[in-house]
């Protein structure tokens, strides 16, 4: 066991421990955010343990498919667009909170630095597809809206009312909603 | 220069390079969130460069003083309460989004793991004070509401409307507001 | 300057510092090894400095396009096939020197652990294309044949004669050849 | 198990795994060195494992309370004074052995870099209290006098006689003494 | 268990866990490469686990004893010559493939940076002996010829024919040979 | 500049940047401790910068040559004896302060874990010589007696009187002495 994962004796490791299949398959994006992330990390490829890298495929529905604002607590992401047109961005940390954005077309590459809030939004009329590398075998993902308004149990609404400058009834309404997890 | 900071020749370093004064002084918490963070990191103590630690003092206004949901992209935080009563919590990453909370009284210690969204809320009738250690000389802080609704320039409101399940006019109203930075 | 690279003041960083364009363009593979690697690392995207990740596109000529045996001294590689059929493999370290191989088709993913000798070989009748993530912003590449037989100046041929169990005239013949660098 | 500590399944972690109570309680300092260290590290808070931080409370008796010269082999320390007046210092490594000192009052902060010999000495007429953050969940502590003269079994006295330029009978007398551990 | 090795309770560790004997004994170098490496790493000294260092003794037969081209995927090596005269070198990574060499006599020290292909060759008329420190408790070693031509099972000869610009019958002849492992 | 050291453009690096000469030369040990350490680290070999390793030669005078109790704040040490007989040891950290010792003869290897106080003492009738690898290019050394009693300026003698259970006049006498640095 290393990092809480079972580690094979290297003499017994075989090709299956370093292999995953199916990233060519388009995924269904008929969900509330219009996107689906297909992760390939240490949970899918045992041999990635301790090696510090993983990848994902992301499918976006035509106009409006959104990989909503989220962070990876343990990884920088480098994304390359295969199909479609994405408006992407990240926000720098306090006190500037600068938004850095770019419209990406096929073959374009963009970097989202570790821990920063970022998103991708399909602004084209066709579906979009991207691959992304992440600098951890277990990058983690925190979808901001889900963590803030969809936690289990809910955060005290007084906290969110004050933090987000929202009416308390809007906060409790948001907390009653279903928050789709696209991962 | 190391990490973009000027590094003195060790033979020339003196006590002032390892010293900071004033963490005993209560800070004004008359601001929209009712809290003030006083950081002591590499920006205040040059000698911390490369050493992987910093501290902060946090003052909270009586009932309702809030250190709003935020993350530190490069640090775990260990907080100890000096005065008052705080409701504190953090949310685990996807797909669980479990909320872990505790009510803390003086002498209580709580840990917020690196990169996770966390907050402290003064639920007592008196002001509260806490000290916290952070596992980086430059931990960074991302206040969620400020980064999402107060970025400069603003995020395309279609992104936030979809991500937060809010009416677009609420989003644009939030984006027009002033977002106080308590750091 | 960090890691010998110029680092912008974060307040001055802009989207161009995190962006690269053109990974959708097929590259010419009419060269002695029949493959071309297009790197996107800190040399192409300045904003990757310190972030621990990079990507490459690899184009392979129809049957026989080869990314020859090489190592990355500072990175693990995770490769995903976009087009074509690749026979890929890596060799474990002493004393086993086990060869781990797999035939990959579109959507298949394979991992080459840090520092191990690995290769990809197009065994299909059409060109092949792959993307790969690497766990360093500056992974380095050592093409085995080029380093051993094509170094500048050449290694003493007695060393190579003994190490590779070759006739000395074969060694000196190999050392007189041109060794194409597909990176 | 990670780092030799039992790690809970994250889905089963709860608030108690990140919590400790009692750092507000003054500790008895009636002991030979006149100080008591109350550690809060991975031994007290299981959830700190791998997170790289811990804290301590230190109580000092009125004039003369001493946290004697010691090192933390795995951590830098950042100390903040809550009460009293401390004369603190550390010694740089060879060949300079420069002593860097400061007199600290409430609210003053001082940094002791990783691995260096340091101490705090209460030079006021009242008790003193400090909190300190350490950049490891398991910083370790080596009290110099205890390790040198109080080891079990004792170091060959010829070694200490020569190293400390002391009469051998003083060395053996010191080795026969009781060495209080204030941790 | 840490890193897949059994870790003793520190209270039970004893001197044998930090001790190894016999590096003064000349080793037999009557083998195809004319050299023998005697490693002292975490496999020989359990107490080295996590400590990031190991050493080796290397014996070289008179004129022609060769430690053949190899890499350590996880360690830099610093070598000091005790007896004899060695021609040593390493090759930098692409695209330069510069060969850096030196002739070393007793007392000379040379550094082989992590991951680079390097070798030592006895050019004197007497046996040679060296000690080397490596910056990992488990540095690994990849002997280039053994990994390329002696892997188990063999690499597809078409790959090696193309990569090394050799006739296929030479490749298959090399693959049929016995490759001595001097470690 | 990396780590405060000048870094050459890799294309300009040459063999001299990885080379040091003279570790075969016996050093004079006619000094108060009867030993001399000859370091080969980044101060002697510029090319070691960032590579995490260094070596030293240590010469010990016949019976009584002592490398006095010291720590390396940033390195584990692995020592091999070339000549003579050494009594060596280290002390574990609080609260056990266990002494782990061994008598070493030529070819014996011993490990001193990072940050722990350790020493070597020549108990033979002839001079002794050892080589040691250290797991840092800049390991640092803190000779305990020199740092405690020989700092510049001196530590307040009240601190040392209490910490070491010595009469104050012995402390001030020790502080007036000359403390030889054998590095």
């Amino acid at each position: 066991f290393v990092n809480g994962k079972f580690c094979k004796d290297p003499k017994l490791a075989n090709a299956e421990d370093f292999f995953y299949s199916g990233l060519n398959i388009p995924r269904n994006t008929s969900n509330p955010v219009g996107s689906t992330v297909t992760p390939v990390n240490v949970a899918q490829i045992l041999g990635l343990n301790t090696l510090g890298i993983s990848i994902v495929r992301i499918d976006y529905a035509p106009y409006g498919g959104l990989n909503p604002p989220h962070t990876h607590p343990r990884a920088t992401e480098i994304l390359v667009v295969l199909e479609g047109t994405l408006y992407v961005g990240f926000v720098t940390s306090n006190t500037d909170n600068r938004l850095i954005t770019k419209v990406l077309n096929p073959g374009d590459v963009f970097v989202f630095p570790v821990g920063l809030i970022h998103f991708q939004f399909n602004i084209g009329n066709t579906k979009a597809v991207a691959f992304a590398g992440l600098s951890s075998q277990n990058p983690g993902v925190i979808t901001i809206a889900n963590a803030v308004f969809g936690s289990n149990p809910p955060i005290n609404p007084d906290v969110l009312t004050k933090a987000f400058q929202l009416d308390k009834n809007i906060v409790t309404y948001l907390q009653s909603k279903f928050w789709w997890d696209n991962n």
Side-chain angles (χ1 to χ4, degrees), chain A residues 68-71 115-118 141-150 164 179:
Chain A
H70 63 284
T71 72
L116 299 188
I117 297 176
H118 60 287
V141 57
I142 298 170
T143 304
I144 300 300
N146 298 23
V148 170
F149 295 108
F164 286 87
W179 295 90

Side-chain angles (χ1 to χ4, degrees), chain A residues 2-5 7 39-56 74-76 133-140:
Chain A
V2 176
N3 290 341
K5 298 274 172 184
C7 263
V40 183
N41 57 47
V42 72
Q44 285 78 34
I45 298 186
L46 188 61
L48 279 173
N49 200 13
T50 77
L51 295 181
I53 197 160
S54 57
I55 61 170
V56 296
R74 290 178 293 277
T76 289
L134 293 125
S135 63
S136 168
Q137 74 271 9
N138 182 20

